[in-house]
Amino acid sequence: MLEQDLKDEIQGAYRQVLEALGLTPRYGQRLMIAEIANTLAEIEADDSGKRLSNEHVCVLEAGTGTGKTLAYLLAALPVAKARGKRLVVATATIALQEQVLHQDLPALKAHSGLSFDYALAKGRGRYLCVAKLDQALDGAEVNPTLSLFEQALASREGDDFHALVKEMAEAYGAGRWEGDRDSWPITIENHQWGQLTTDHRQCTNRRCGHFGACAFFRARRDLENADIIVANHDLVLADLALGGGVVLPSPQDCIYIFDEGHHLPDKAIEHFTHHFAVNGALRWLRTLKKSLTELNANLGVQPTLARLLGGFPEAIAALEPRLGEIFALGHQLAEAEEKLAQKRPGRYVREGEEGNRQHRFPLGEVPVELRDQAGGLVTIFAELSRSLESMADILRESLDPDKHTGLPREQAEPWLPLVSLLQGRAQEAHGLWLAMSEQDDPKEPPRARWLSFEQVQGDPELTFSASPVSAASTLARTLWGSCFGAVVTSATLTALGRFERLQERAGLANRYRYQRLPSPFDYSRAVLSVPREAVDPGDREAHERAIVNFIAGLEDSEAVLMLFSSRAQLRAVEKALPKAMKERVLAQDRMPKRELLERHRERIDAGQGSTLFGLASFAEGIDLPGKYLTHVVVTRLPFSVPDDPVGATLAEWIESRGGNPFMHIAVPDASIKLVQACGRLIRKESDRGRITLLDRRVLTRRYGAALLDALPPFQREIDGSTVRRA
């Protein structure tokens, strides 16, 4: 139960912020504050602060204009501080992260009367490694031993790289730059930044001579004193994958706020996907074999390292022929299945250009011969990974003056980055082959497993991949089961007006709190239209003609966002437009997104009309309030064909259990995307305009009514006639 002093603190802070910023209280915002505060306050804990109760998660759909950020900060911060917990605010996009960090938190601190500190958390790879910078500044190779594997490193970058290094060193030394990639004034190329940063395996932490000046650990020290930590979904998931409490505080000491929470399930799946490129692995194994003489000369003076190095020739000798065999086996399996593709569609998928293609194993079931081969590779890569991990541990200990390993620091330090790099590759290989060799639990969705064939620098490459099709069980165990409390929020969490789809994908239990909060917007100010021009897109040519005819009837002064489901159709429609209409069109694939939006605003400011042509990325996150957007046109209902290996495997599994994947996946997902697309129009209370659907299936198919009813209560106009909602 929310204690009275906490209730008074939250209400007082809310009043102060509203008065200071001249804001009007909103019913949905007040309700959101109450839901979050009550959920977190009712968490039962023992004397040590360990959570005992299991109703500690709050899931809130709050539309644009609710004031979500202010609501969850005001509600959660006082409770978190009272319980001795840290508040971790995780966003899915950089834009929202910057808004929280640079706008919302400073305003809250200045006007709420609440006392708190906050900091931004980023992964180690976003920060400069001072040791590497120092080496590059001296003109030495950043990691001399890595040249054994990466032939185009800093020493071959030329004057541009060395000028960048010098400028960075001056800025960091003078305190003008904090050492994070995102705050550097110009874009840093990946191949350059990769030579100036490090990862958790290569970093020597306190044993590093530059530890006191380390950008990453300076930022970590700020986190230690922060009541609120701003992060992103990827960093939270990466921390959980490492066991929790590695980069961020321990989950049991955290209350998480997942803003843009509808992205969390897909982000989680990405974190548990494994890949293994056969020829890429063969190349680094062969180079390792050639380098064993040098490795033994430098590290063999240490008995344990000598023993570990002595096992590499046998491991490499065992791996090379096995990888050659599995390369041939992958091609044989794909070629055999290709012949059956017409009889059993979906097994063999061609994608991309230059002959790139994929072969997916139905229901993730790999043939026995591949599973047997994978089992053998698991054993070898497990041993190789353990040996490299042991070597890395000894090299790290050799950097500590209090440890006596028998290896001088000056001999150990140059080799740690290389050994750590190889250990990471061996560990990823072990994860992939383990996923290929294991049989899935028949009660759970299977893992997707597939092969990818492509050309890499002119040479053929075969990549084996495995991925869960659902992150539900992993999130239930590592996130919801381990955290002290959590809030999941977004403008679009429900599908067809229900939370079931999110629960299923994110592993959220029925016992948690779920609430759809009312929007402050008057959606009757917008008209949702299905005009006579709308046709069934099954006839592609007729559909494209209908789109062109519709564009011809638009007013010259309109600010239009036209959303397409495919790049091919976008280009076909653009090509078919008369020259006069083309001049009003700004197409997504013609220029960068930011430039496109700037030109659109400039045209509107100049009193001209403008029509944006965009794909799916323009249906979410585009903010064009007022006069900058008066008409949203959805050319086709946003159904996604599950032809990617993960989606296709999930669809197969649902069908194998008697379900309908179209109704179970495609329709709910389309509902979310349609709500997001329509949400581009009403961004402020004064906004008005029109939304047009040019897909007649919304009227003729049985799922159409459900899709329409899940939208906000717009006025409806069908074939030019106003329709009253029931």
Side-chain angles (χ1 to χ4, degrees), residues 293-484:
T293 301
E294 190 175 356
L295 281 162
N296 277 291
N298 284 272
L299 304 179
V301 295
Q302 209 278 347
T304 304
L305 290 178
R307 177 179 59 80
L308 292 170
L309 286 168
F312 284 173
E314 183 179 350
I316 295 170
L319 277 172
E320 284 182 324
R322 284 178 179 269
L323 293 181
E325 291 168 8
I326 212 154
F327 186 87
L329 178 60
H331 282 80
Q332 292 168 10
L333 293 172
E335 289 167 5
E337 286 292 331
E338 186 177 18
K339 297 175 182 178
L340 302 175
Q342 296 301 319
K343 296 180 180 179
R344 293 182 287 181
R347 291 195 171 201
Y348 194 82
V349 182
R350 289 188 178 274
E351 291 187 347
E353 300 173 353
E354 299 179 359
N356 294 354
R357 65 191 194 276
Q358 288 183 341
H359 166 71
R360 179 180 62 80
F361 296 105
L363 286 171
E365 296 176 359
V366 300
V368 174
E369 58 265 42
L370 177 55
R371 188 183 302 121
D372 291 343
Q373 290 270 29
L377 289 168
V378 167
T379 303
I380 301 173
F381 274 115
E383 182 59 36
L384 184 61
S385 180
R386 282 193 295 268
S387 296
L388 288 164
E389 185 177 17
S390 298
M391 288 183 66
D393 289 341
I394 293 171
L395 294 176
R396 286 192 193 91
E397 287 187 359
S398 300
L399 305 183
D400 191 334
D402 296 329
K403 299 288 180 67
H404 303 287
T405 64
L407 185 70
R409 178 189 180 106
E410 58 271 16
Q411 283 181 252
E413 192 166 22
W415 292 97
L416 178 59
L418 174 61
V419 172
S420 299
L421 172 70
L422 295 177
Q423 195 261 325
R425 292 185 178 184
Q427 191 173 49
E428 172 65 10
H430 175 261
L432 180 281
W433 294 117
L434 186 64
M436 281 285 179
S437 65
E438 291 179 330
Q439 291 190 314
D440 297 316
D441 184 341
K443 299 177 183 178
E444 298 291 331
R447 277 170 285 198
R449 298 176 175 91
W450 70 97
L451 313 177
S452 301
F453 302 86
E454 58 186 331
Q455 296 289 318
V456 177
Q457 297 179 345
D459 296 324
E461 181 59 281
L462 167 59
T463 300
F464 289 77
S465 301
S467 169
V469 298
S470 171
S473 59
T474 301
L475 288 175
R477 183 180 69 257
T478 63
L479 177 53
W480 317 125
S482 63
C483 70
F484 184 81

Side-chain angles (χ1 to χ4, degrees), residues 260-316:
E260 302 175 308
H262 60 285
H263 287 292
L264 187 61
D266 289 334
K267 293 278 189 181
I269 287 175
E270 292 172 10
H271 272 268
F272 298 99
T273 298
H274 296 287
H275 304 285
F276 181 87
V278 178
N279 278 333
L282 281 169
R283 281 192 294 272
W284 68 258
L285 284 168
R286 288 165 183 162
T287 309
L288 173 60
K289 182 166 62 175
K290 293 177 184 177
S291 307
L292 285 175
T293 301
E294 190 175 356
L295 281 162
N296 277 291
N298 284 272
L299 304 179
V301 295
Q302 209 278 347
T304 304
L305 290 178
R307 177 179 59 80
L308 292 170
L309 286 168
F312 284 173
E314 183 179 350
I316 295 170

Side-chain angles (χ1 to χ4, degrees), residues 64 117 128 135 275 309 423 496 518 716:
T64 305
D117 292 313
L128 173 78
Q135 290 173 340
H275 304 285
L309 286 168
Q423 195 261 325
L496 301 173
R716 289 190 189 175

Side-chain angles (χ1 to χ4, degrees), residues 413-704:
E413 192 166 22
W415 292 97
L416 178 59
L418 174 61
V419 172
S420 299
L421 172 70
L422 295 177
Q423 195 261 325
R425 292 185 178 184
Q427 191 173 49
E428 172 65 10
H430 175 261
L432 180 281
W433 294 117
L434 186 64
M436 281 285 179
S437 65
E438 291 179 330
Q439 291 190 314
D440 297 316
D441 184 341
K443 299 177 183 178
E444 298 291 331
R447 277 170 285 198
R449 298 176 175 91
W450 70 97
L451 313 177
S452 301
F453 302 86
E454 58 186 331
Q455 296 289 318
V456 177
Q457 297 179 345
D459 296 324
E461 181 59 281
L462 167 59
T463 300
F464 289 77
S465 301
S467 169
V469 298
S470 171
S473 59
T474 301
L475 288 175
R477 183 180 69 257
T478 63
L479 177 53
W480 317 125
S482 63
C483 70
F484 184 81
V487 176
V488 182
T489 187
S490 172
T492 48
L493 290 179
T494 60
L496 301 173
R498 299 187 297 273
F499 284 101
E500 281 89 342
R501 179 77 173 121
L502 178 69
Q503 288 178 288
E504 181 182 286
R505 299 183 69 217
L508 291 160
N510 289 329
R511 63 180 178 272
Y512 301 153
R513 286 181 188 251
Y514 297 88
Q515 183 76 26
R516 296 182 71 189
L517 303 172
S519 171
F521 295 155
D522 179 5
Y523 287 103
S524 67
R525 297 169 65 90
V527 175
L528 175 67
S529 169
V530 184
R532 293 185 180 90
E533 292 92 334
V535 300
D536 190 319
D539 186 338
R540 193 180 72 177
E541 292 183 2
H543 189 227
E544 289 173 1
R545 284 197 304 271
I547 296 170
V548 171
N549 292 337
F550 181 80
I551 295 172
L554 293 172
E555 297 290 335
D556 292 342
S557 60
E558 286 192 76
V560 183
L561 172 61
M562 184 162 285
L563 297 168
F564 291 84
S565 61
S566 75
R567 193 178 300 274
Q569 189 177 62
L570 183 154
R571 290 176 174 172
V573 169
E574 185 184 14
K575 183 178 180 180
L577 291 174
K579 183 178 180 181
M581 283 191 280
K582 278 184 183 178
E583 293 175 353
R584 291 178 52 202
V585 170
L586 294 167
Q588 180 179 352
D589 60 349
R590 302 301 181 196
M591 64 187 76
K593 188 175 185 179
R594 181 174 296 179
E595 182 181 350
L596 201 73
L597 296 176
E598 287 176 359
R599 289 197 185 186
H600 175 78
R601 292 187 184 97
E602 288 171 0
R603 288 185 179 184
I604 301 304
D605 287 338
Q608 304 169 357
S610 179
T611 300
L612 286 167
F613 277 18
L615 298 169
S617 63
F618 272 58
E620 183 181 2
I622 296 293
D623 193 17
L624 294 169
K627 65 179 181 179
Y628 295 113
L629 185 57
T630 57
H631 196 165
V632 173
V633 181
V634 179
T635 60
R636 182 174 182 153
L637 292 174
F639 290 116
S640 296
V641 178
D643 57 359
D644 67 284
V646 175
T649 302
L650 177 59
E652 266 184 346
W653 181 72
I654 291 170
E655 191 169 15
S656 72
R657 297 169 67 88
N660 182 334
F662 180 76
M663 297 302 296
H664 192 87
I665 303 174
V667 173
D669 285 357
S671 175
I672 292 174
K673 293 174 183 176
L674 188 59
V675 170
Q676 290 170 340
C678 295
R680 296 312 94 210
L681 182 66
I682 305 294
R683 310 300 296 172
K684 293 183 177 180
E685 292 180 359
S686 59
D687 285 354
R688 61 174 66 245
R690 177 176 288 268
I691 299 164
T692 300
L693 304 181
L694 293 178
D695 188 334
R696 188 153 290 273
R697 290 178 299 176
V698 78
L699 302 178
T700 60
R701 303 294 174 88
R702 62 189 180 100
Y703 54 76

